[in-house]
Tab-separated table of all heavy atoms in Angstrom:
chain	number	residue	atom	x	y	z
A	190	ALA	N	-8.643	12.202	5.616
A	190	ALA	CA	-8.541	13.263	4.617
A	190	ALA	C	-9.600	13.137	3.521
A	190	ALA	O	-10.149	14.144	3.075
A	190	ALA	CB	-7.147	13.269	3.963
A	191	PHE	N	-9.894	11.902	3.103
A	191	PHE	CA	-10.751	11.730	1.933
A	191	PHE	C	-12.018	10.910	2.201
A	191	PHE	O	-12.841	10.766	1.292
A	191	PHE	CB	-9.968	11.092	0.783
A	191	PHE	CG	-8.770	11.905	0.397
A	191	PHE	CD1	-7.499	11.390	0.496
A	191	PHE	CD2	-8.904	13.223	-0.048
A	191	PHE	CE1	-6.371	12.158	0.145
A	191	PHE	CE2	-7.813	13.982	-0.401
A	191	PHE	CZ	-6.545	13.441	-0.310
A	192	GLY	N	-12.186	10.386	3.374
A	192	GLY	CA	-13.421	9.680	3.725
A	192	GLY	C	-13.479	8.242	3.244
A	192	GLY	O	-14.566	7.638	3.233
A	193	PHE	N	-12.346	7.654	2.852
A	193	PHE	CA	-12.367	6.232	2.503
A	193	PHE	C	-12.702	5.426	3.743
A	193	PHE	O	-12.499	5.875	4.863
A	193	PHE	CB	-11.015	5.772	1.935
A	193	PHE	CG	-10.632	6.459	0.655
A	193	PHE	CD1	-9.420	7.109	0.531
A	193	PHE	CD2	-11.487	6.459	-0.449
A	193	PHE	CE1	-9.060	7.731	-0.646
A	193	PHE	CE2	-11.148	7.078	-1.632
A	193	PHE	CZ	-9.918	7.718	-1.734
A	194	THR	N	-13.201	4.223	3.548
A	194	THR	CA	-13.513	3.340	4.667
A	194	THR	C	-12.677	2.072	4.550
A	194	THR	O	-12.304	1.639	3.440
A	194	THR	CB	-15.001	2.959	4.711
A	194	THR	OG1	-15.363	2.313	3.500
A	194	THR	CG2	-15.880	4.201	4.918
A	195	VAL	N	-12.396	1.466	5.710
A	195	VAL	CA	-11.594	0.249	5.724
A	195	VAL	C	-12.494	-0.920	5.260
A	195	VAL	O	-13.581	-1.109	5.770
A	195	VAL	CB	-11.022	-0.040	7.117
A	195	VAL	CG1	-10.344	-1.376	7.177
A	195	VAL	CG2	-10.075	1.094	7.508
A	196	GLY	N	-11.990	-1.676	4.294
A	196	GLY	CA	-12.641	-2.882	3.843
A	196	GLY	C	-12.087	-4.073	4.616
A	196	GLY	O	-12.585	-4.421	5.662
A	197	ARG	N	-10.979	-4.587	4.125
A	197	ARG	CA	-10.343	-5.745	4.770
A	197	ARG	C	-8.926	-5.412	5.209
A	197	ARG	O	-8.264	-4.603	4.586
A	197	ARG	CB	-10.273	-6.921	3.805
A	197	ARG	CG	-11.617	-7.392	3.293
A	197	ARG	CD	-11.487	-8.465	2.260
A	197	ARG	NE	-10.926	-7.880	1.044
A	197	ARG	CZ	-10.546	-8.560	-0.021
A	197	ARG	NH1	-10.647	-9.874	-0.029
A	197	ARG	NH2	-10.080	-7.972	-1.099
A	198	ARG	N	-8.509	-6.088	6.252
A	198	ARG	CA	-7.094	-6.075	6.637
A	198	ARG	C	-6.505	-7.370	6.137
A	198	ARG	O	-7.019	-8.446	6.396
A	198	ARG	CB	-6.953	-5.946	8.151
A	198	ARG	CG	-7.520	-4.628	8.647
A	198	ARG	CD	-7.162	-4.330	10.084
A	198	ARG	NE	-7.884	-3.167	10.519
A	198	ARG	CZ	-7.587	-1.902	10.193
A	198	ARG	NH1	-6.554	-1.661	9.424
A	198	ARG	NH2	-8.318	-0.914	10.616
A	199	ILE	N	-5.450	-7.239	5.374
A	199	ILE	CA	-4.832	-8.411	4.752
A	199	ILE	C	-3.481	-8.620	5.402
A	199	ILE	O	-2.450	-8.208	4.883
A	199	ILE	CB	-4.731	-8.193	3.236
A	199	ILE	CG1	-6.124	-7.823	2.691
A	199	ILE	CG2	-4.177	-9.417	2.539
A	199	ILE	CD1	-6.119	-7.223	1.331
A	200	GLY	N	-3.506	-9.203	6.580
A	200	GLY	CA	-2.268	-9.371	7.349
A	200	GLY	C	-1.884	-8.060	7.987
A	200	GLY	O	-2.582	-7.042	7.904
A	201	PRO	N	-0.720	-8.049	8.634
A	201	PRO	CA	-0.318	-6.843	9.368
A	201	PRO	C	0.200	-5.707	8.484
A	201	PRO	O	0.268	-4.582	8.916
A	201	PRO	CB	0.808	-7.355	10.282
A	201	PRO	CG	1.367	-8.542	9.553
A	201	PRO	CD	0.196	-9.171	8.830
A	202	GLY	N	0.482	-6.001	7.209
A	202	GLY	CA	1.088	-4.983	6.381
A	202	GLY	C	0.286	-4.542	5.188
A	202	GLY	O	0.816	-3.976	4.249
A	203	ALA	N	-1.012	-4.782	5.222
A	203	ALA	CA	-1.851	-4.363	4.086
A	203	ALA	C	-3.275	-4.096	4.572
A	203	ALA	O	-3.789	-4.826	5.404
A	203	ALA	CB	-1.836	-5.414	2.992
A	204	VAL	N	-3.874	-3.073	3.994
A	204	VAL	CA	-5.268	-2.755	4.295
A	204	VAL	C	-5.944	-2.321	2.999
A	204	VAL	O	-5.339	-1.658	2.150
A	204	VAL	CB	-5.383	-1.659	5.385
A	204	VAL	CG1	-4.823	-0.334	4.936
A	204	VAL	CG2	-6.830	-1.491	5.845
A	205	GLU	N	-7.185	-2.727	2.854
A	205	GLU	CA	-8.011	-2.369	1.689
A	205	GLU	C	-8.904	-1.195	2.117
A	205	GLU	O	-9.571	-1.253	3.131
A	205	GLU	CB	-8.872	-3.574	1.311
A	205	GLU	CG	-9.893	-3.296	0.240
A	205	GLU	CD	-10.811	-4.486	0.051
A	205	GLU	OE1	-11.553	-4.809	1.020
A	205	GLU	OE2	-10.783	-5.094	-1.020
A	206	LEU	N	-8.888	-0.144	1.314
A	206	LEU	CA	-9.756	1.001	1.536
A	206	LEU	C	-10.807	1.019	0.427
A	206	LEU	O	-10.507	0.785	-0.740
A	206	LEU	CB	-8.978	2.295	1.569
A	206	LEU	CG	-7.904	2.424	2.653
A	206	LEU	CD1	-7.214	3.783	2.566
A	206	LEU	CD2	-8.499	2.200	4.023
A	207	LEU	N	-12.033	1.365	0.808
A	207	LEU	CA	-13.146	1.396	-0.127
A	207	LEU	C	-13.727	2.807	-0.205
A	207	LEU	O	-13.475	3.629	0.669
A	207	LEU	CB	-14.228	0.417	0.340
A	207	LEU	CG	-13.756	-1.032	0.513
A	207	LEU	CD1	-14.875	-1.874	1.103
A	207	LEU	CD2	-13.277	-1.617	-0.796
A	208	GLY	N	-14.517	3.048	-1.237
A	208	GLY	CA	-15.189	4.333	-1.394
A	208	GLY	C	-14.688	5.148	-2.563
A	208	GLY	O	-15.143	6.247	-2.801
A	209	ALA	N	-13.762	4.587	-3.344
A	209	ALA	CA	-13.205	5.333	-4.460
A	209	ALA	C	-13.639	4.776	-5.824
A	209	ALA	O	-13.115	5.195	-6.848
A	209	ALA	CB	-11.673	5.320	-4.393
A	210	GLY	N	-14.547	3.827	-5.829
A	210	GLY	CA	-14.942	3.196	-7.089
A	210	GLY	C	-14.120	1.981	-7.427
A	210	GLY	O	-14.568	1.088	-8.096
A	211	VAL	N	-12.869	1.967	-7.004
A	211	VAL	CA	-11.986	0.810	-7.094
A	211	VAL	C	-11.338	0.649	-5.721
A	211	VAL	O	-11.117	1.627	-5.009
A	211	VAL	CB	-10.901	0.943	-8.195
A	211	VAL	CG1	-11.507	1.070	-9.572
A	211	VAL	CG2	-9.967	2.101	-7.914
A	212	PRO	N	-10.998	-0.579	-5.349
A	212	PRO	CA	-10.316	-0.753	-4.047
A	212	PRO	C	-8.929	-0.104	-4.074
A	212	PRO	O	-8.215	-0.173	-5.073
A	212	PRO	CB	-10.210	-2.270	-3.892
A	212	PRO	CG	-11.152	-2.854	-4.875
A	212	PRO	CD	-11.294	-1.861	-5.972
A	213	LEU	N	-8.584	0.513	-2.978
A	213	LEU	CA	-7.257	1.103	-2.796
A	213	LEU	C	-6.571	0.290	-1.710
A	213	LEU	O	-7.069	0.163	-0.598
A	213	LEU	CB	-7.427	2.570	-2.343
A	213	LEU	CG	-6.189	3.338	-1.952
A	213	LEU	CD1	-5.268	3.530	-3.177
A	213	LEU	CD2	-6.569	4.683	-1.378
A	214	TYR	N	-5.407	-0.279	-2.052
A	214	TYR	CA	-4.662	-1.106	-1.097
A	214	TYR	C	-3.422	-0.360	-0.662
A	214	TYR	O	-2.647	0.103	-1.503
A	214	TYR	CB	-4.272	-2.439	-1.741
A	214	TYR	CG	-5.455	-3.323	-1.992
A	214	TYR	CD1	-6.132	-3.269	-3.200
A	214	TYR	CD2	-5.911	-4.191	-1.005
A	214	TYR	CE1	-7.246	-4.088	-3.435
A	214	TYR	CE2	-7.034	-4.993	-1.228
A	214	TYR	CZ	-7.690	-4.933	-2.456
A	214	TYR	OH	-8.775	-5.706	-2.679
A	215	LEU	N	-3.268	-0.227	0.635
A	215	LEU	CA	-2.059	0.359	1.222
A	215	LEU	C	-1.177	-0.804	1.635
A	215	LEU	O	-1.592	-1.691	2.396
A	215	LEU	CB	-2.415	1.235	2.424
A	215	LEU	CG	-3.394	2.376	2.145
A	215	LEU	CD1	-3.774	3.083	3.421
A	215	LEU	CD2	-2.795	3.356	1.133
A	216	LEU	N	0.044	-0.821	1.115
A	216	LEU	CA	0.965	-1.936	1.353
A	216	LEU	C	2.213	-1.446	2.054
A	216	LEU	O	2.894	-0.539	1.576
A	216	LEU	CB	1.369	-2.565	0.014
A	216	LEU	CG	0.228	-2.966	-0.928
A	216	LEU	CD1	0.768	-3.425	-2.264
A	216	LEU	CD2	-0.670	-4.000	-0.284
A	217	GLN	N	2.491	-2.022	3.208
A	217	GLN	CA	3.655	-1.578	3.975
A	217	GLN	C	4.933	-2.116	3.334
A	217	GLN	O	5.107	-3.314	3.180
A	217	GLN	CB	3.561	-2.061	5.427
A	217	GLN	CG	4.656	-1.456	6.283
A	217	GLN	CD	4.276	-1.416	7.745
A	217	GLN	OE1	3.169	-1.049	8.079
A	217	GLN	NE2	5.209	-1.808	8.576
A	218	LYS	N	5.795	-1.180	2.945
A	218	LYS	CA	7.083	-1.488	2.332
A	218	LYS	C	8.095	-0.497	2.916
A	218	LYS	O	7.926	0.715	2.792
A	218	LYS	CB	7.055	-1.327	0.812
A	218	LYS	CG	5.954	-2.096	0.122
A	218	LYS	CD	6.260	-3.548	0.004
A	218	LYS	CE	5.157	-4.241	-0.793
A	218	LYS	NZ	5.485	-5.576	-1.168
A	219	ALA	N	9.117	-0.979	3.538
A	219	ALA	CA	10.095	-0.110	4.197
A	219	ALA	C	10.865	0.726	3.190
A	219	ALA	O	11.176	0.269	2.085
A	219	ALA	CB	11.063	-0.955	5.020
A	220	ALA	N	11.177	1.956	3.586
A	220	ALA	CA	12.029	2.811	2.778
A	220	ALA	C	13.375	2.102	2.592
A	220	ALA	O	13.865	1.417	3.486
A	220	ALA	CB	12.239	4.148	3.465
A	221	GLY	N	13.943	2.240	1.409
A	221	GLY	CA	15.230	1.646	1.100
A	221	GLY	C	15.168	0.236	0.579
A	221	GLY	O	16.191	-0.292	0.142
A	222	THR	N	14.000	-0.405	0.622
A	222	THR	CA	13.892	-1.764	0.101
A	222	THR	C	13.816	-1.723	-1.421
A	222	THR	O	13.352	-0.741	-2.006
A	222	THR	CB	12.689	-2.515	0.678
A	222	THR	OG1	11.502	-1.789	0.412
A	222	THR	CG2	12.844	-2.711	2.184
A	223	PRO	N	14.260	-2.788	-2.102
A	223	PRO	CA	14.199	-2.807	-3.570
A	223	PRO	C	12.753	-2.745	-4.065
A	223	PRO	O	11.857	-3.332	-3.453
A	223	PRO	CB	14.822	-4.153	-3.950
A	223	PRO	CG	15.530	-4.637	-2.728
A	223	PRO	CD	14.866	-4.003	-1.548
A	224	VAL	N	12.539	-2.039	-5.165
A	224	VAL	CA	11.203	-1.947	-5.734
A	224	VAL	C	10.825	-3.241	-6.454
A	224	VAL	O	9.641	-3.554	-6.608
A	224	VAL	CB	11.016	-0.727	-6.661
A	224	VAL	CG1	11.226	0.575	-5.872
A	224	VAL	CG2	11.939	-0.774	-7.846
A	225	SER	N	11.801	-3.983	-6.938
A	225	SER	CA	11.561	-5.304	-7.566
A	225	SER	C	12.894	-6.052	-7.661
A	225	SER	O	13.962	-5.449	-7.530
A	225	SER	CB	10.931	-5.161	-8.957
A	225	SER	OG	11.913	-4.775	-9.894
A	226	ALA	N	12.805	-7.333	-7.925
A	226	ALA	CA	14.023	-8.148	-8.080
A	226	ALA	C	14.796	-7.771	-9.337
A	226	ALA	O	16.000	-7.986	-9.415
A	226	ALA	CB	13.649	-9.620	-8.117
A	227	ALA	N	14.128	-7.163	-10.305
A	227	ALA	CA	14.772	-6.823	-11.580
A	227	ALA	C	15.296	-5.396	-11.625
A	227	ALA	O	15.773	-4.970	-12.662
A	227	ALA	CB	13.770	-7.054	-12.709
A	228	SER	N	15.174	-4.653	-10.537
A	228	SER	CA	15.554	-3.248	-10.560
A	228	SER	C	16.521	-2.935	-9.423
A	228	SER	O	16.440	-3.517	-8.338
A	228	SER	CB	14.312	-2.373	-10.411
A	228	SER	OG	14.669	-1.013	-10.265
A	229	SER	N	17.422	-2.009	-9.651
A	229	SER	CA	18.299	-1.554	-8.580
A	229	SER	C	17.694	-0.372	-7.806
A	229	SER	O	18.254	0.069	-6.809
A	229	SER	CB	19.664	-1.150	-9.140
A	229	SER	OG	19.489	-0.054	-10.041
A	230	ALA	N	16.526	0.099	-8.248
A	230	ALA	CA	15.859	1.217	-7.568
A	230	ALA	C	15.396	0.811	-6.176
A	230	ALA	O	15.049	-0.353	-5.941
A	230	ALA	CB	14.656	1.702	-8.401
A	231	ARG	N	15.398	1.752	-5.274
A	231	ARG	CA	14.966	1.552	-3.902
A	231	ARG	C	13.800	2.464	-3.584
A	231	ARG	O	13.703	3.571	-4.106
A	231	ARG	CB	16.132	1.842	-2.942
A	231	ARG	CG	17.381	1.062	-3.222
A	231	ARG	CD	17.416	-0.122	-2.358
A	231	ARG	NE	18.591	-0.965	-2.648
A	231	ARG	CZ	18.659	-2.190	-2.284
A	231	ARG	NH1	17.683	-2.763	-1.624
A	231	ARG	NH2	19.705	-2.918	-2.577
A	232	ARG	N	12.924	2.008	-2.679
A	232	ARG	CA	11.792	2.831	-2.278
A	232	ARG	C	12.295	4.070	-1.540
A	232	ARG	O	13.137	3.984	-0.672
A	232	ARG	CB	10.853	2.045	-1.370
A	232	ARG	CG	10.034	1.065	-2.135
A	232	ARG	CD	9.120	0.244	-1.218
A	232	ARG	NE	8.350	-0.681	-2.018
A	232	ARG	CZ	8.807	-1.858	-2.448
A	232	ARG	NH1	10.023	-2.254	-2.103
A	232	ARG	NH2	8.053	-2.624	-3.193
A	233	ASP	N	11.708	5.202	-1.901
A	233	ASP	CA	12.040	6.484	-1.296
A	233	ASP	C	10.725	7.236	-1.077
A	233	ASP	O	9.992	7.464	-2.040
A	233	ASP	CB	12.953	7.246	-2.230
A	233	ASP	CG	13.285	8.645	-1.737
A	233	ASP	OD1	12.828	9.041	-0.645
A	233	ASP	OD2	14.025	9.336	-2.436
A	234	TYR	N	10.450	7.604	0.140
A	234	TYR	CA	9.185	8.254	0.443
A	234	TYR	C	9.283	9.771	0.564
A	234	TYR	O	8.381	10.407	1.064
A	234	TYR	CB	8.557	7.620	1.691
A	234	TYR	CG	8.143	6.185	1.425
A	234	TYR	CD1	8.821	5.131	1.989
A	234	TYR	CD2	7.097	5.906	0.555
A	234	TYR	CE1	8.479	3.818	1.726
A	234	TYR	CE2	6.743	4.608	0.272
A	234	TYR	CZ	7.420	3.570	0.869
A	234	TYR	OH	7.058	2.278	0.579
A	235	GLY	N	10.392	10.350	0.075
A	235	GLY	CA	10.425	11.789	-0.106
A	235	GLY	C	9.571	12.122	-1.317
A	235	GLY	O	9.163	11.236	-2.073
């Protein structure tokens, strides 16, 4: 969609994308998992 390029793969659940002036990291996190240990909020991808 935007022409970013893959920089590094950081294990099976993370990838670094380049081309935006700052690195963009995509991090695999399952829906429904807690957003942090201090919060009751859960990830929702709607």
Side-chain angles (χ1 to χ4, degrees):
F191 302 119
F193 296 126
T194 59
V195 174
R197 300 175 290 173
R198 296 192 188 283
I199 306 164
V204 65
E205 173 187 64
L206 299 180
L207 304 174
V211 298
L213 174 66
Y214 292 91
L215 302 174
L216 308 174
Q217 188 156 316
K218 307 283 184 169
T222 57
V224 298
S225 76
S228 173
S229 62
R231 304 263 176 199
R232 286 179 179 81
D233 176 0
Y234 293 109

